[in-house]
Amino acid sequence: MKVPYRTGLHKVAPATYAYLQPNGSWGWSNAGLVVDGDEALLVDTLFTVALTRQMLDAVGQALPAAKIRTLVNTHGDGDHWWGNQLLPEARIISSAASAEEMRHSGPEPMLQALAAGASDPGMRGLTDLFAPFDFTDVTPTYPGETFDGELEVKVGTRAVRLIEVGPAHTEGDVLVHVPGERVLFTGDILFIGGHPVVHSGPVSRWIRACDLILGLDVDTIVPGHGPVAGKPEVTRFREYLHRVLDHAVAAHQRGRTALEAAREFDHRGFEDLDDPGRLVLNVGAVYRELNGDGTPAELELMPQMLDVTTEAR
Ligand SMILES: [Zn+2]
């Protein structure tokens, strides 16, 4: 099913929908919906209460009978759960590792960083990135149910499989597989159209997650950011991760900083991807794996990331 990349709710299979938010850059995440009769399962809420309300209104209009009884948060980044408060009666599920991460990733640290960024020229770009979003009315609403490994959830009579593949993008990434419709929601295990962000790593584990996806019986793959895709895009994304890993390991051996390594990256085949500055973060994540002492810290790389994105424009 060819799905246009436009803001809103799109049918991707007879009873499965994707809610898309172009252009997929910082904070513009996708969500998903699986329906059976009057029962529905939502995959992720959005970055703000207002954006989530817009999405729920669109769901209510298209499917007036559907009641969202279950919400799955694919991981602990705010753009996938900060709208949870609008579903107070739903059963909210995440991996145990994501739930733990959420405890430390409410909007408060973000609001503080943005306030600090307003007076720090190096961080001003960060404030600009998040300017479209208002987090002031976010009340962190956490999962009431967690799991490790795999969990099967019912939506009416339909089965939905939750598969934990993190730590990779974050500590507890989960895939949401709808076997009856050959659909997969990947959360941020897949980015289409832009460079991904490696927060946690290891990248090798993220590559294994791609292998797992390629082995699933699915046709339609809804990424956490970007247009609806299929297996060819996963194969290409896997190649990207491999290239980042190989490049970063070699650059680390040569004593390059993460910034130098990002600037020396071979973009061939990936020139079309947005947000190239994220390479600084991604190389940095591999360096943290290799250093084993938590350096270089992600926050310290943020200003350099913004520089590289600006240089590329
Ligand atoms: Zn995201």
Side-chain angles (χ1 to χ4, degrees), residues 19-260:
Y19 188 84
L20 306 178
Q21 293 195 105
N23 64 358
S25 186
W26 294 96
W28 298 108
S29 51
N30 298 329
L33 192 78
V34 184
V35 185
D36 188 35
D38 61 357
E39 214 178 298
L41 174 146
L42 182 68
V43 181
D44 285 338
T45 54
L46 305 178
F47 212 3
T48 69
V49 176
L51 288 171
T52 303
R53 189 172 288 123
Q54 254 175 50
M55 170 172 75
L56 296 178
D57 286 350
V59 170
Q61 261 169 23
L63 302 155
K67 171 125 177 75
I68 297 169
R69 291 188 213 279
T70 309
L71 163 63
V72 176
N73 292 128
T74 56
H75 63 289
D77 282 351
D79 53 337
H80 300 263
W81 72 279
W82 284 0
N84 281 8
Q85 71 202 64
L86 292 181
L87 293 160
E89 283 161 23
R91 168 187 179 201
I92 307 181
I93 307 173
S94 78
S95 68
S98 288
E100 176 59 25
E101 200 166 40
M102 287 172 180
R103 299 271 161 203
H104 312 285
S105 63
E108 212 44 55
M110 164 83 89
L111 286 167
Q112 280 168 18
L114 293 180
S119 56
D120 175 349
M123 297 294 268
R124 182 131 339 120
L126 200 64
T127 313
D128 293 344
L129 276 183
F130 293 109
F133 306 103
D134 177 9
F135 306 116
T136 51
D137 56 352
V138 174
T139 306
T141 305
Y142 302 103
E145 195 180 328
T146 62
F147 70 99
D148 295 304
E150 280 197 37
L151 181 70
E152 188 178 284
V153 184
K154 288 280 188 205
V155 186
T157 58
R158 298 150 52 91
V160 174
R161 275 173 78 209
L162 312 184
I163 310 165
E164 184 180 21
V165 293
H169 166 64
T170 63
E171 290 301 306
D173 308 284
V174 165
L175 308 173
V176 181
H177 182 203
V178 192
E181 305 226 276
R182 303 167 63 90
V183 174
L184 184 74
F185 297 97
T186 64
D188 286 0
I189 285 298
L190 185 63
F191 285 70
I192 302 293
H195 288 256
V197 183
V198 185
H199 292 300
S200 290
V203 173
S204 57
R205 208 176 141 82
W206 198 336
I207 291 169
R208 284 215 297 280
C210 292
D211 291 335
L212 188 152
I213 294 171
L214 291 169
L216 289 175
D217 188 17
V218 294
D219 303 316
T220 303
I221 301 178
V222 182
H225 296 260
V228 174
K231 284 189 179 174
E233 287 86 351
V234 177
T235 301
R236 182 179 181 226
F237 186 76
R238 186 184 184 285
E239 279 166 24
Y240 169 93
L241 291 176
H242 246 301
R243 190 174 307 172
V244 168
L245 181 58
D246 292 348
H247 176 71
V249 168
H252 188 268
Q253 244 162 26
R254 294 199 312 272
R256 294 286 201 261
T257 65
L259 177 61
E260 288 164 347

